[in-house]
Amino acid sequence: DSGVTQTPKHLITATGQRVTLRCSPRSGDLSVYWYQQSLDQGLQFLIQYYNGEERAKGNILERFSAQQFPDLHSELNLSSLELGDSALYFCASSAIGGINYGYTFGSGTRLTVV
Amino acid sequence: KNEVEQSPQNLTAQEGEFITINCSYSVGISALHWLQQHPGGGIVSLFMLSSGKKKHGRLIATINIQEKHSSLHITASHPRDSAVYICAVSIGTASKLTFGTGTRLQVTL
């Protein structure tokens, strides 16, 4: 157990639907990062939250949104799902900014859109 | 051109062999990370480097900041080392990671 908990592990849903992926960071970590891993694009940064505030945004589609709650868990909301959204979604956490403190990754949520 | 390049893309080795995976980057970085991803998907952070060399068990990671290059070495490789190894960097002051495309390693008996 890495200390970062992601739920659910697997999700199968239909096109057009909306899903929520959840991440609980390692105890004490304030930063949460969301990454998408697809077969054609590899691993890509989506968004970072630090202590409840959005810190950085990457290649995140407008159909996707995220937030970090006061208890520091984070949720990634994916709406109007398309077949191309099928991917592994990883959450990672770090103590502060991550640069000097390293990252801990969750085991990922495998999303399949049919 | 990708900011982070890895080579080789695929690597097959026999048990006991010494393995080297290379990573080159084209931008200023604050840290470089080596990650391991087993079949089934989970990612484990192996090393974080900003200079020099680190060793953990049979794994050694080195970085040359001037040449913008890092290597991951596995000594006395074992089938359980079979995984995808991913190089990732933190660019400038940003803490998000930018990833290489990974090296798929298969170690056979």
Side-chain angles (χ1 to χ4, degrees), chain B residues 40-75:
Chain B
I43 294 176
V44 174
S45 180
L46 298 175
F47 295 103
M48 182 178 70
L49 294 159
S50 53
S51 64
K53 175 179 173 177
K54 287 191 176 179
K55 183 175 190 290
H56 185 253
R58 295 179 295 106
L59 301 179
I60 302 165
T62 64
I63 188 168
N64 184 318
I65 298 294
Q66 286 72 34
E67 294 186 3
K68 293 188 165 62
H69 181 270
S70 175
S71 293
L72 176 69
H73 305 287
I74 305 176
T75 62

Side-chain angles (χ1 to χ4, degrees), chain A residues 34-111:
Chain A
W34 286 99
Y35 294 96
Q36 179 194 56
Q37 186 178 38
S38 59
L39 281 176
D40 55 343
Q41 300 272 14
L43 272 160
Q44 291 202 307
F45 168 69
L46 295 178
I47 197 163
Q48 177 199 359
Y49 278 83
Y50 173 71
N51 203 21
E53 299 289 326
E54 183 184 302
R55 176 63 69 92
K57 218 168 195 177
N59 299 322
I60 186 166
L61 299 171
E62 284 191 12
R63 300 183 284 109
F64 295 2
S65 65
Q67 55 185 323
Q68 186 179 28
F69 294 87
D71 68 352
L72 300 177
H73 92 271
S74 178
E75 292 181 356
L76 179 67
N77 300 296
L78 316 176
S79 61
S80 303
L81 285 167
E82 302 174 0
L83 295 177
D85 298 327
S86 296
L88 260 172
Y89 291 85
F90 285 100
C91 168
S93 71
S94 67
I96 303 179
I99 295 177
N100 295 314
Y101 294 91
Y103 299 85
T104 303
F105 285 82
S107 56
T109 293
R110 185 174 295 277
L111 173 66

Side-chain angles (χ1 to χ4, degrees), chain B residues 1-78:
Chain B
K1 188 180 187 300
N2 291 335
E3 291 165 317
V4 183
E5 300 275 0
Q6 279 186 244
S7 64
Q9 282 191 311
N10 294 284
L11 185 54
T12 300
Q14 283 199 314
E15 184 177 11
E17 285 186 7
F18 180 85
I19 288 162
T20 296
I21 300 170
N22 295 299
C23 176
S24 297
Y25 52 93
S26 56
V27 293
I29 68 169
S30 52
L32 183 141
H33 302 253
W34 282 103
L35 311 172
Q36 180 192 57
Q37 186 174 27
H38 277 286
I43 294 176
V44 174
S45 180
L46 298 175
F47 295 103
M48 182 178 70
L49 294 159
S50 53
S51 64
K53 175 179 173 177
K54 287 191 176 179
K55 183 175 190 290
H56 185 253
R58 295 179 295 106
L59 301 179
I60 302 165
T62 64
I63 188 168
N64 184 318
I65 298 294
Q66 286 72 34
E67 294 186 3
K68 293 188 165 62
H69 181 270
S70 175
S71 293
L72 176 69
H73 305 287
I74 305 176
T75 62
S77 60
H78 189 277

